[in-house]
Amino acid sequence: MRAGYVSLSVAAIAACLVSCQAADSSKTSSRASTAAACSLPALPDFAQLPVISELPNPFVGLNGKTIKSKKDWACRRAEIGAQAQAYELGTKPAAPERITAELQGENLIVSVADKGKTISFTAKITYPKTGKAPYPAVIGMGGSWLNNEELAKQGVAVIQFPNNDVAEQLNGSSRGKGKFFELYGADHSAGALIAWAWGVSRLIDGLEATPASRINASRLGITGCSRNGKGALVAGAFDERIKLTIPQESGSGGSASWRVSDDQKAAGQNVQTLAQIVTENVWFTDSFKRFGQSANRLPIDQHSIMGMVAPRGLLVIENTSMEWLGNRSAYTAVLGAREIWRAHGIETDFGFSQLGGHNHCQLPAAQVPEVNAFVQKFLLDAVKTDTAIFKSDQEFDLNKDRWINWKTPQLK
């Protein structure tokens, strides 16, 4: 972490996380998080973290016990969120003192005031020409790389969230820059991904407070591609008002496992690893670099962060032609993540589609019906829509038991 946060221990961070999430949800008209009723123990510092060679068991709580119910999952989810913020992402601040929003044409201007400072950002809304207001909407992290014409045909609006304005991500020199850091200080622990997640929550606050926006804030999805796909996943994980999350070709820090990517790299493949990504940009908290040579000391992995979306809808879109994204790594991580939906008895609310033969962030025509199915189910209330989608056009030499050596409980 940077100056001002160096002496803040992991235990201190963990102690504030539940109260922060509770405050965030208490100031919104619909709850952003179910963490308010959960109590978290202190998290160990880096030096006390054990080595875990496989994907960490998402069903074992910090007390060492296997969870048994869906109610237990709510608090287990809070634990994973605390671990993700403490070790990987930095802290997502609580809801600020005041949020206002104003619609100017198709632009929603969101203003946020906290601790004597005020910032604002503008989100452009593209309305469909069909359907009926208030419209369901997909928030695009920096834009949407889905087939937006198809979304419009279904009566779904697209909202462009200005993530680079909220937190810069030009390169390693971008740390502490952007409107989030104008509000909370350049030395805040947040990396860009969690800063964007905070901004998306403020956008949703603004939509809830502005009926003139003609957006149904109870029917929202989020998407993004590549680095913005990482951000879409984090935003969907940390705000339960988002009904559908679609990270597209998000790779390392998104749908790919840190551990499996290291394994791919060791096998001679050109895969982005934790050791490399922390030198490239400022997506993560500065102290995440401690795990560069020891990803297996992370108490979580990306399957855990994907699991935070459960029991809401998640469709992971990946590209087998992009080895850099960790194609085998992503496939392995989603196998682990899917078990969380399976434990809830809603396996088909989790989708995975991995197709190659196209350029990065260019959605193939074959994946458009899959996106449409999830949109219809989660944003258009067509709850009987078939979303049993789990496929890859590549067969991987994969020892599943090597990475997933735990049993999936049936949560009551």
Side-chain angles (χ1 to χ4, degrees):
M1 297 181 185
R2 306 191 73 200
Y5 280 79
V6 171
S7 62
L8 185 59
S9 68
V10 169
I13 295 173
C16 83
L17 291 179
V18 170
S19 61
C20 289
Q21 291 173 338
D24 201 351
S25 62
S26 67
K27 293 186 180 182
T28 57
S29 60
S30 60
R31 298 186 66 180
S33 172
T34 55
C38 303
S39 176
L40 298 184
L43 300 179
D45 288 315
F46 175 79
Q48 282 73 50
L49 293 171
V51 170
I52 306 173
S53 298
E54 64 281 349
L55 297 183
N57 188 338
F59 303 111
V60 174
L62 293 176
N63 61 4
K65 297 180 180 179
T66 300
I67 63 173
K68 297 180 179 180
S69 70
K70 296 174 183 177
K71 182 178 179 181
D72 290 340
W73 172 251
C75 287
R76 178 67 188 124
R77 177 184 178 275
E79 291 179 349
I80 293 170
Q83 292 171 316
Q85 291 177 82
Y87 300 119
E88 182 171 336
L89 300 170
T91 303
K92 181 184 178 185
E97 296 167 358
R98 184 168 57 89
I99 301 162
T100 58
E102 179 185 5
L103 189 70
Q104 295 185 2
E106 293 190 341
N107 293 323
L108 185 72
I109 301 173
V110 180
S111 297
V112 181
D114 205 12
K115 298 178 177 61
K117 297 181 180 179
T118 302
I119 60 99
S120 64
F121 61 83
T122 300
K124 182 179 179 180
I125 305 173
T126 301
Y127 292 97
K129 295 182 180 179
T130 60
K132 182 179 179 181
Y135 301 101
V138 170
I139 299 168
M141 186 71 71
S144 167
W145 283 261
L146 303 178
N147 188 318
N148 295 328
E149 291 183 2
E150 282 292 321
L151 294 176
K153 287 179 182 178
Q154 296 175 87
V156 177
V158 174
I159 304 173
Q160 182 171 338
F161 174 72
N163 56 322
N164 292 338
D165 188 32
V166 172
E168 290 186 16
Q169 55 158 346
L170 181 62
N171 51 40
S173 68
S174 298
R175 189 168 298 280
K177 297 180 180 179
K179 290 182 176 177
F180 172 93
F181 298 100
E182 290 177 16
L183 195 62
Y184 292 112
D187 59 353
H188 194 279
S189 69
L193 299 183
I194 200 72
W196 298 344
W198 172 90
V200 169
S201 291
R202 307 292 72 84
L203 170 60
I204 297 173
D205 293 339
L207 291 169
E208 289 180 334
T210 314
S213 69
R214 296 181 293 147
I215 297 297
N216 184 348
S218 68
R219 287 293 178 269
L220 295 175
I222 191 160
T223 190
C225 191
S226 196
R227 59 184 61 189
N228 296 332
K230 308 180 205 300
L233 175 60
V234 172
F238 281 90
D239 196 318
E240 295 177 57
R241 295 172 294 178
I242 296 172
K243 302 302 182 185
L244 174 61
T245 302
I246 309 179
Q248 182 181 0
E249 300 187 41
S250 56
S252 295
S255 63
S257 158
W258 300 117
R259 289 167 170 82
V260 185
S261 291
D262 277 348
D263 189 67
Q264 274 195 263
K265 182 74 172 179
Q269 296 178 339
N270 184 31
V271 174
Q272 187 174 41
T273 63
L274 197 162
Q276 190 281 332
I277 203 170
V278 294
T279 68
E280 180 183 343
N281 218 306
V282 295
W283 299 311
F284 308 94
T285 191
D286 192 38
S287 62
F288 189 48
K289 62 189 177 186
R290 298 177 297 177
F291 294 92
Q293 303 303 321
S294 54
N296 57 8
R297 294 183 68 179
L298 274 170
I300 58 170
D301 209 320
Q302 294 307 107
H303 71 298
S304 312
I305 294 179
M306 283 187 277
M308 287 181 65
V309 177
R312 294 166 290 131
L314 176 65
L315 173 62
V316 177
I317 298 173
E318 280 295 335
N319 185 345
T320 48
S321 296
M322 300 292 295
E323 188 176 82
W324 179 250
L325 299 178
N327 41 23
R328 174 166 67 86
S329 179
Y331 185 83
T332 308
V334 298
L335 284 175
R338 180 174 61 168
E339 295 304 304
I340 297 168
W341 277 261
R342 182 171 287 170
H344 282 82
I346 50 171
E347 181 179 337
T348 59
D349 287 358
F350 175 92
F352 175 63
S353 179
Q354 188 181 42
L355 300 178
H358 60 91
N359 291 333
H360 187 39
C361 292
Q362 291 188 350
L363 186 75
Q367 289 178 322
V368 172
E370 298 162 356
V371 172
N372 287 348
F374 271 81
V375 167
Q376 289 162 15
K377 185 172 186 176
F378 290 97
L379 302 187
L380 297 171
D381 296 325
V383 295
K384 294 184 178 181
T385 303
D386 183 7
T387 53
I389 300 165
F390 196 97
K391 68 182 185 182
S392 175
D393 63 359
Q394 183 172 337
E395 291 188 11
F396 298 102
D397 183 14
L398 174 66
N399 180 358
K400 181 181 176 182
D401 293 338
R402 155 72 177 85
W403 298 106
I404 304 170
N405 67 349
W406 27 266
K407 293 182 179 180
T408 300
Q410 296 302 308
L411 302 179
K412 305 299 182 183

